[in-house]
Amino acid sequence: MHSKRKNIIKSSVRSSIEKLLEQARKAASKSPERSKRYVDMAFDLMKKNKVKLPKELRNSFCRKCHVIWIPGKTMTAYYDRKNDCLRVKCRCGATKRL
Ligand SMILES: [Zn+2]
């Protein structure tokens, strides 16, 4: 029973995170500050509840500067020949393997 309850909490946390990231994406062009705050909140929820996000969500913002990633705007994707993988480079300089 206990773990089932936990799962319900986690899935509702996950959907809140999804919503926050969606709002962050919408706010990104008009108000970057607000957008960043949404990502802050999403990241906070993620850490506090130790939820695992699906890959698309995990790769949709920067863990360092909390900016929502918009291809060509706040991040660029490139092929990393050395490690034979795709990488994302955030505008803050952080890179992440995809
Ligand atoms: Zn960054």
Side-chain angles (χ1 to χ4, degrees):
M1 275 316 267
H2 210 75
S3 76
K4 201 174 178 190
R5 205 178 143 164
K6 244 183 193 168
N7 280 337
I8 293 170
I9 294 171
K10 283 202 174 177
S11 76
S12 83
V13 167
R14 199 176 296 126
S15 76
S16 310
I17 293 173
E18 269 172 43
K19 277 181 201 139
L20 283 168
L21 291 176
E22 200 185 298
Q23 281 177 295
R25 196 169 288 280
K26 280 184 191 156
S29 57
K30 278 188 182 167
S31 43
E33 270 304 306
R34 194 149 52 96
S35 170
K36 193 184 161 291
R37 246 187 343 250
Y38 286 132
V39 180
D40 283 343
M41 287 190 270
F43 197 70
D44 242 41
L45 277 176
M46 200 175 90
K47 270 195 311 193
K48 270 186 203 143
N49 298 282
K50 296 193 177 83
V51 287
K52 275 199 176 156
L53 297 176
K55 218 175 174 185
E56 320 89 73
L57 287 181
R58 266 189 287 135
N59 292 334
S60 68
F61 63 92
C62 178
R63 282 169 178 260
K64 245 188 173 173
C65 70
H66 293 188
V67 73
I68 193 95
W69 277 343
I70 298 165
K73 275 198 165 176
T74 58
M75 67 86 142
T76 45
Y78 66 98
Y79 183 69
D80 180 352
R81 274 168 196 278
K82 219 168 100 184
N83 298 297
D84 192 30
C85 66
L86 268 176
R87 256 176 204 285
V88 162
K89 187 167 197 231
C90 179
R91 64 173 183 191
C92 76
T95 64
K96 188 177 191 297
R97 189 182 179 148
L98 283 189

